[in-house]
Amino acid sequence: MTLVQILEPWLKDPKVTDLCVNGIHAYVDRGIGMEALDGVILQPELVRSWVLEILSQAGKSWDARMPFVDLQCSNGFGRFRVHAVFPPICNAGILVS
């Protein structure tokens, strides 16, 4: 299963204004503040492969000298912005908003 498949119900929810991944945990904001997606534990490799796929599609990359990226892209869920921060800046794993 891919990260998008796991998060698809929230990606399709028109009330969700932001979806964040903090290491293995995911959170959504429906306009009332961030709430944890209870029961959703993400595999770090799924998060990493999804972020790298999005970066590749946008013609971007990352490395230890620039361990963060910010981009806009679109897919079947519409147009969206992705901001990702990689270790060593963060200790929890890859952070995505």
Side-chain angles (χ1 to χ4, degrees), residues 57-77:
Q57 291 172 4
K60 298 213 174 200
S61 63
W62 70 276
D63 62 36
R65 292 173 292 154
M66 180 90 101
F68 56 90
V69 294
D70 192 39
L71 59 106
Q72 289 189 8
C73 50
S74 60
N75 66 9
F77 301 106

Side-chain angles (χ1 to χ4, degrees), residues 85-96:
V85 180
F86 302 87
I89 290 179
C90 53
N91 294 328
I94 298 173
L95 307 178
V96 183

Side-chain angles (χ1 to χ4, degrees), residues 7 18 28-29 39 41 43 48 51 56-57 64 83:
L7 300 176
D18 199 2
V28 294
D29 187 354
I41 302 295
Q43 297 298 319
R48 179 184 174 86
V51 170
S56 174
Q57 291 172 4
H83 183 77

Side-chain angles (χ1 to χ4, degrees), residues 1-8 10-11 18-23 25-27 42-62 69-86 94-97:
M1 187 170 268
T2 68
L3 184 68
V4 171
Q5 290 170 324
I6 293 168
L7 300 176
E8 188 170 3
W10 297 279
L11 292 169
D18 199 2
L19 190 144
C20 298
V21 173
N22 185 347
H25 303 286
Y27 303 84
L42 304 172
Q43 297 298 319
E45 195 50 46
L46 282 179
V47 176
R48 179 184 174 86
S49 66
W50 178 77
V51 170
L52 293 177
E53 178 184 332
I54 293 293
L55 291 177
S56 174
Q57 291 172 4
K60 298 213 174 200
S61 63
W62 70 276
V69 294
D70 192 39
L71 59 106
Q72 289 189 8
C73 50
S74 60
N75 66 9
F77 301 106
R79 189 159 178 76
F80 58 95
R81 180 180 157 263
V82 175
H83 183 77
V85 180
F86 302 87
I94 298 173
L95 307 178
V96 183
S97 171

